Amino acid sequence: MLIGVPPILGPDLLAALRAMGHGDEIALVDANYPALEHARRLLRADGHGVIPLLDAILQVLPIDDYVPEALFRAAPGGDPSRADPVHEEMAEVCRMRAPGMALVALAGPAFYERVRRAHVVLATGERRLYANIILRKGVIHPDGRARQ
């Protein structure tokens, strides 16, 4: 256990987050996602939902503010205009932990390709469909701030 680090973040996940560089991405995917097939590096968080993991990760991972888009979610049925309740929950966590950053919906092929390029894929135990999100890591500035 560590002070100030959410306990849901295990040692392998913390090591992966620490190893990521500016611009690297982590994909949090639901239990139905073909994670083993798409991942260059696969970590598992079976038994944990995507929302608690997202909230915990965003407490320690700076989001890239040098690009216009750094947060991406899956689009239900390939329709970026649709948002299921899980996507509304994701958006709320992102508003709280990464204020000012938009959560962009990506349709199937674009989302899948981005996951395949991710630094790491975290397979969650989330059972809701399309409960997938990608986070692009930013920088921590010399003064210790994550955002300018």
Side-chain angles (χ1 to χ4, degrees):
M1 298 288 292
L2 298 170
I3 296 170
V5 175
I8 196 172
L9 301 178
D12 293 336
L13 179 52
L14 285 170
L17 295 172
R18 177 63 180 94
M20 291 171 63
H22 176 233
D24 283 341
E25 296 180 349
I26 179 171
L28 288 69
V29 299
D30 64 41
N32 287 296
Y33 192 91
L36 183 60
E37 182 67 25
H38 288 189
R40 294 186 320 162
R41 292 173 195 86
L42 177 64
L43 293 176
R44 302 206 62 92
D46 300 300
H48 295 291
V50 71
I51 300 302
L53 286 161
L54 174 63
D55 183 57
I57 289 169
L58 287 177
Q59 290 179 54
V60 300
L61 185 79
I63 297 302
D64 194 349
D65 57 357
Y66 287 93
V67 294
E69 299 173 339
L71 303 168
F72 307 92
R73 68 163 176 87
D79 181 356
S81 69
R82 280 184 49 204
D84 287 345
V86 70
H87 302 117
E88 298 301 330
E89 292 173 37
M90 288 175 179
E92 181 58 33
V93 171
C94 290
R95 276 191 293 275
M96 182 176 63
R97 300 287 184 197
M101 301 298 296
L103 180 56
V104 178
L106 294 177
F111 190 87
Y112 278 7
E113 183 54 36
R114 195 159 202 131
V115 172
R116 285 184 178 102
R117 292 191 321 260
H119 178 81
V120 65
V121 174
L122 179 63
T124 75
E126 181 63 60
R127 296 186 63 174
R128 292 180 285 182
L129 302 179
Y130 302 103
N132 309 304
I133 186 167
I134 299 168
L135 313 172
R136 181 180 166 106
K137 187 176 183 181
V139 300
I140 298 174
H141 299 274
D143 63 3
R145 291 181 304 124
R147 301 185 100 53
Q148 290 192 35

